[in-house]
């Protein structure tokens, strides 16, 4: 099954303001985005995926990408990354001095056509041009592989294709890789097996897991990834988000739930969980709907509640009766 050795420290990447906000029914005001990112910058996160430099016609909720990137207060301990769909997006990211760009394509040919309007080969050709454009600037480049663990159109995909696409990414100039369970189809043993193989084949490459909780296995898949030696995870405040081109796909794993679970298992995240929960509790008012995250609703596992007055009265009554009994 799994290896019981876990990484000494786990890095948490927040994606709510890109992956989450892009799917919302209503536009989140620019000022609110900036305020949230500024607060997230202070809780100990490794990265914040701020926005996407995509056409406003394609994703109108992120039409303020430049303004948000230019006005946030950056913490030098945090990497500020943006999703880039094409060369124009890469130029916009460079102009805003993003720390990192994230390139994304699908392992599945059909999902890539639905999501990117390109074949996998066309995406790879474009990524090589983007890497050539961006590399002289010193900006980091991450490559995400969507539908790594399964596609709603093609089912479970060949691991050989995953390995081949990672190789192509690295040849193009990508420095780190994200394995994405875009549709929430991953299972723990599958995650463990694939991550173990990826880390064995590409030992010098930084690997991140981007997981969704569509079928309730998100946090179990985190434990499988940890056991395989992966120490970096994407998550979304409140559990918001989901791929609009994947039928039935719901939100990302929830950041505060993830941190709570990791810390309950004695793992160091450097994240201030209480501050994270406080931000998650404010998110429903900002978005106008309830969120799938659990810890913000239930409280951390060690949190206690006042004993009900009825129980205190019952205890007192029992103590009185016990005291009145003759020896």
């Amino acid at each position: 099954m799994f290896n019981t050795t876990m990484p000494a420290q786990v890095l948490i990447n927040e994606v709510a303001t890109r992956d989450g906000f892009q799917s919302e029914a209503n536009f989140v005001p620019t000022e609110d985005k900036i305020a949230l990112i500024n607060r997230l910058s202070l809780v100990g996160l490794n990265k914040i995926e701020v926005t996407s430099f995509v056409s406003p016609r394609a994703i109108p909720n992120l039409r303020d990408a430049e303004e948000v990137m230019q006005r946030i207060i950056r913490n030098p301990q945090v990497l500020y990354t943006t999703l880039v769909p094409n060369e124009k997006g890469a130029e916009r990211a460079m102009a805003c001095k993003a720390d990192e760009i994230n390139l994304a394509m699908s392992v599945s040919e059909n999902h890539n056509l639905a999501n990117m309007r390109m074949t996998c080969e066309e995406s790879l050709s474009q990524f090589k041009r983007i890497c050539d454009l961006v590399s002289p600037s010193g900006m980091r480049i991450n490559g995400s592989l969507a539908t790594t663990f399964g596609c709603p159109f093609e089912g479970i995909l060949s691991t050989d294709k995953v390995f081949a696409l990672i190789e192509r990414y690295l040849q193009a100039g990508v420095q780190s890789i994200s394995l994405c369970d875009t549709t929430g189809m991953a299972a723990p043993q599958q995650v463990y097996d694939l991550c173990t193989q990826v880390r064995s084949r590409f030992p010098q490459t930084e690997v991140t897991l981007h997981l969704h909780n569509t079928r309730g296995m998100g946090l179990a898949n985190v434990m499988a990834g940890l056991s395989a030696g992966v120490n970096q995870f994407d998550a979304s405040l409140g559990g918001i988000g989901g791929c609009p081109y994947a039928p039935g796909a719901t939100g990302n794993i929830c950041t505060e739930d993830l941190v709570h679970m990791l810390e309950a298992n004695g793992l160091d995240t450097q994240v201030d969980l209480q501050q994270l929960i406080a931000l998650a509790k404010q998110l429903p008012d900002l978005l106008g709907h309830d969120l799938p995250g659990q810890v913000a609703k239930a409280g951390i596992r060690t949190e206690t509640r006042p004993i009900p007055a009825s129980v205190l009265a019952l205890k007192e009554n029992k103590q009185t009766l016990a005291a009145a009994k003759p020896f």
Side-chain angles (χ1 to χ4, degrees):
M1 193 57 173
F2 303 150
N3 182 353
T4 56
T5 302
M6 298 287 181
Q9 185 178 6
V10 184
L11 304 176
I12 309 298
N13 304 329
E14 178 58 61
V15 302
T17 58
R18 196 283 297 175
D19 202 348
F21 286 176
Q22 73 175 14
S23 302
E24 286 298 313
N26 299 314
F27 178 75
V28 177
T30 303
E31 295 295 335
D32 291 327
K33 286 175 183 159
I34 293 169
L36 178 59
I37 293 165
N38 287 345
R39 292 188 64 185
L40 285 168
S41 295
L42 302 176
V43 303
L45 297 163
N46 176 55
K47 292 182 187 179
I48 298 175
E49 190 174 48
V50 176
T51 188
S52 174
F53 287 106
V54 68
S55 167
R57 293 188 300 277
I59 303 182
N61 280 4
L62 302 182
R63 60 183 180 267
D64 54 359
E66 271 91 357
E67 185 174 1
V68 171
M69 277 298 296
Q70 290 167 352
R71 291 181 54 200
I72 56 173
I73 300 172
R74 301 195 190 191
N75 179 344
Q77 303 302 314
V78 178
L79 281 172
Y80 296 90
T81 184
T82 65
L83 186 70
V84 166
N86 49 39
E87 289 147 288
K88 182 177 180 181
E91 291 171 350
R92 293 169 65 193
M94 286 192 292
C96 290
K97 293 181 169 52
D99 296 321
E100 178 184 78
I101 60 169
N102 186 22
L103 307 177
M105 65 173 288
S106 300
V107 178
S108 159
E109 192 75 45
N110 287 304
H111 187 266
N112 206 61
L113 286 167
N115 195 19
M116 304 296 180
R117 309 297 182 191
M118 285 186 274
T119 66
C120 291
E121 194 59 42
E122 287 170 337
S123 285
L124 288 166
S125 296
Q126 178 173 252
F127 292 163
K128 179 64 170 70
R129 296 194 300 271
I130 291 172
C131 289
D132 290 344
L133 174 68
V134 168
S135 293
S137 72
M139 189 183 300
R140 284 174 50 92
I141 307 171
N142 182 73
S144 290
L145 284 172
T147 66
T148 294
F149 299 95
C151 168
F153 311 121
E154 299 180 24
I156 306 302
L157 300 162
S158 165
T159 55
D160 287 340
K161 186 171 184 184
V162 175
F163 304 145
L165 290 176
I166 292 174
E167 190 67 52
R168 293 285 299 276
Y169 260 141
L170 297 176
Q171 290 171 356
V174 167
Q175 296 151 313
S176 56
I177 298 293
S178 294
L179 303 176
C180 305
D181 184 27
T182 315
T183 59
M185 293 171 67
Q189 188 66 55
Q190 178 194 19
V191 171
Y192 176 78
D193 290 344
L194 181 60
C195 290
T196 299
Q197 292 176 68
V198 168
R199 293 190 70 248
S200 175
R201 287 171 178 254
F202 308 97
Q204 303 305 314
T205 302
E206 178 184 303
V207 177
T208 295
L209 272 176
H210 178 102
L211 301 168
H212 285 224
N213 198 42
T214 310
R215 292 167 177 83
M217 291 191 281
L219 294 185
N221 288 331
V222 169
M223 296 303 294
L226 286 166
S227 188
V230 175
N231 74 332
Q232 192 163 168
F233 297 86
D234 290 347
S236 181
L237 191 71
I240 62 173
C243 178
Y245 301 102
T250 53
N252 301 269
I253 56 173
C254 173
T255 312
E256 63 271 19
D257 290 0
L258 171 63
V259 172
H260 177 262
M261 182 194 72
L262 294 172
E263 293 192 351
N265 281 282
L267 299 173
D268 179 20
T269 66
Q270 298 290 309
V271 174
D272 186 329
L273 179 58
Q274 293 297 341
Q275 288 298 317
L276 201 61
I277 291 172
L279 290 175
K281 286 181 175 179
Q282 295 174 8
L283 204 51
D285 287 339
L286 177 62
L287 301 179
H289 60 78
D290 192 21
L291 307 179
Q294 297 299 309
V295 172
K297 301 170 186 173
I300 63 172
R301 68 189 185 98
T302 55
E303 185 177 335
T304 58
R305 304 293 196 277
I307 300 172
S310 59
V311 174
L312 292 173
L314 181 61
K315 286 178 65 176
E316 184 178 353
N317 184 49
K318 287 184 177 294
Q319 291 166 355
T320 301
L321 290 173
K325 287 182 179 180
F327 290 102

